[in-house]
Amino acid sequence: MSMSTTSSAPAFQPMTVVWIAGIVLAALIPWFTGSVFHFHIAIMVCISAMATGGLAVIAWVGQLSLAHAAFAGIGAYTSVLLVTRLDVPVLLGLPAGALVAGAVAFIIGSPLLRLRGVYFVLITFALNELFRLIMLDIPKFSGGSSGIAGIPKISLLGVTLSNYQSVYPFALFCLALVMGLLVLIRRGQLGRRFAAVEENLALAESSGIPTAKTQNIAFTIGSAIAGFSGAFLAHYVGFISPETFGFQLSVSYVIMLVTGGRLALWGPLVGALFLTPLPEFLRGAVEYQHVIYGFVLIAVLRFLPRGLAGLPRQLSRKGGRG
């Protein structure tokens, strides 16, 4: 299906409105309940959705990165070191983390993106492990295996967001900015180039689209978003270590993306909303967490190839045939 066909689809179908209403209702739950636990879950959903949104941008050009957690880690360590050692305000540390992660991705993206398919996936897996090992070997900057504790909280205009109730609105605001950026990209000329590259790389190149440059732009933007989410996570949790941004986190982002919908605009948000709470509810049975993730992934790939975000369209088509 071409991008033009996808873009011309009706903006709102009945089930799509239900999805949006459900997401809005889910966002309001913490205020309805007043539960600290629910606020924490909601904040983690926002952070995961931002990171998964960055991964979605990379998927829009037909690539799948297993180094996404590494770029989140680059953003986190950049922001933490700037704030703790150079007294940079946290509000500047967050975008600085995104910029550094994006710059690193842009530099290494050109040679990495010459690889296709499984080869790119494998090299990004190696890159994630390389980042973790390097961080473990420079404890002066990373804290080594002990990590960095006591990271300053997010502050706005001199006011520290010291509790869940104050952090959550800011997390929603940041998520809205990321989702807005995804909408602008997807609906604009750059998004059409991304779609052409994802659909048929050779045809896009023969049509005059600079495919290598286009993929590197997507890789840079997606990694920068990951860097921002990592920086946000660091200042929210107050602790990071190299293990925080290990391979397991990259896999979690991939599962969220596939579950939500790899090419769907709202896929990252839906996937994060569906899967982020699972680890919290399975703390007493951590060994079963990945088993459940696996079953969810298999079920989605088998019955919902477009992910949960594609469910409204799938149901409307079945209803039309009925």
Side-chain angles (χ1 to χ4, degrees):
M1 180 180 291
S2 64
M3 185 61 185
S4 59
T5 304
T6 304
S7 300
S8 61
F12 291 101
Q13 299 173 357
M15 280 300 298
T16 303
V17 176
V18 173
W19 262 121
I20 294 175
I23 291 172
V24 172
L25 182 62
L28 294 175
I29 284 176
W31 279 301
F32 287 148
T33 65
S35 168
V36 170
F37 176 71
H38 290 159
F39 273 109
H40 168 67
I41 292 293
I43 294 168
M44 292 303 297
V45 167
C46 291
I47 296 172
S48 297
M50 285 188 280
T52 309
L55 189 60
V57 176
I58 300 172
W60 290 348
V61 292
Q63 296 284 27
L64 187 64
S65 173
L66 287 181
H68 210 57
F71 289 104
I74 291 172
Y77 277 106
T78 297
S79 182
V80 169
L81 292 175
L82 287 175
V83 171
T84 58
R85 303 200 178 185
L86 298 179
D87 293 326
V88 173
V90 175
L91 204 56
L92 294 180
L94 294 175
L99 288 174
V100 172
V104 172
F106 180 78
I107 293 170
I108 68 175
S110 183
L112 287 184
L113 289 164
R114 294 177 183 176
L115 301 172
R116 309 291 183 203
V118 67
Y119 300 104
F120 180 78
V121 173
L122 289 175
I123 197 66
T124 53
F125 162 73
L127 185 64
N128 206 119
E129 282 299 290
L130 180 62
F131 168 79
R132 186 180 67 84
L133 293 174
I134 290 175
M135 289 295 104
L136 286 172
D137 287 338
I138 52 172
K140 182 179 179 181
F141 296 97
S142 68
S145 58
S146 300
I148 301 176
I151 298 171
K153 298 293 184 181
I154 298 170
S155 59
L156 300 175
L157 303 176
V159 178
T160 300
L161 307 183
S162 56
N163 55 53
Y164 299 103
Q165 291 87 342
S166 60
V167 174
Y168 183 45
F170 183 63
L172 283 174
F173 173 74
C174 292
L175 175 59
L177 289 181
V178 171
M179 295 306 299
L181 176 62
L182 296 189
V183 171
L184 288 176
I185 292 173
R186 192 65 180 266
R187 303 302 184 192
Q189 183 178 359
L190 185 59
R192 289 189 288 272
R193 284 169 53 186
F194 285 175
V197 171
E198 191 277 333
E199 187 170 333
N200 193 315
L201 186 67
L203 180 59
E205 192 161 355
S206 66
S207 301
I209 296 176
T211 56
K213 180 181 178 181
T214 300
Q215 286 191 320
N216 203 13
I217 290 173
F219 188 57
T220 300
I221 294 173
S223 299
I225 295 174
F228 183 85
S229 72
F232 196 112
L233 177 66
H235 291 287
Y236 167 62
V237 176
F239 171 82
I240 56 170
S241 74
E243 300 300 334
T244 304
F245 304 100
F247 173 67
Q248 181 177 335
L249 183 60
S250 285
V251 172
S252 296
Y253 290 149
V254 171
I255 294 175
M256 288 179 195
L257 179 63
V258 174
T259 301
R262 185 176 66 89
L263 300 177
L265 184 58
W266 300 102
L269 179 54
V270 174
L273 184 62
F274 186 71
L275 290 177
T276 300
L278 273 184
E280 301 297 334
F281 291 112
L282 294 174
R283 284 190 178 275
V286 178
E287 64 272 17
Y288 297 113
Q289 175 183 330
H290 295 292
V291 175
I292 295 175
Y293 269 29
F295 277 120
V296 170
L297 186 59
I298 292 171
V300 168
L301 291 174
R302 173 63 181 84
F303 300 106
L304 297 170
R306 292 179 177 269
L308 291 173
L311 184 60
R313 179 177 296 183
Q314 188 169 330
L315 290 177
S316 65
R317 286 180 176 177
K318 288 183 178 179
R321 287 197 298 266

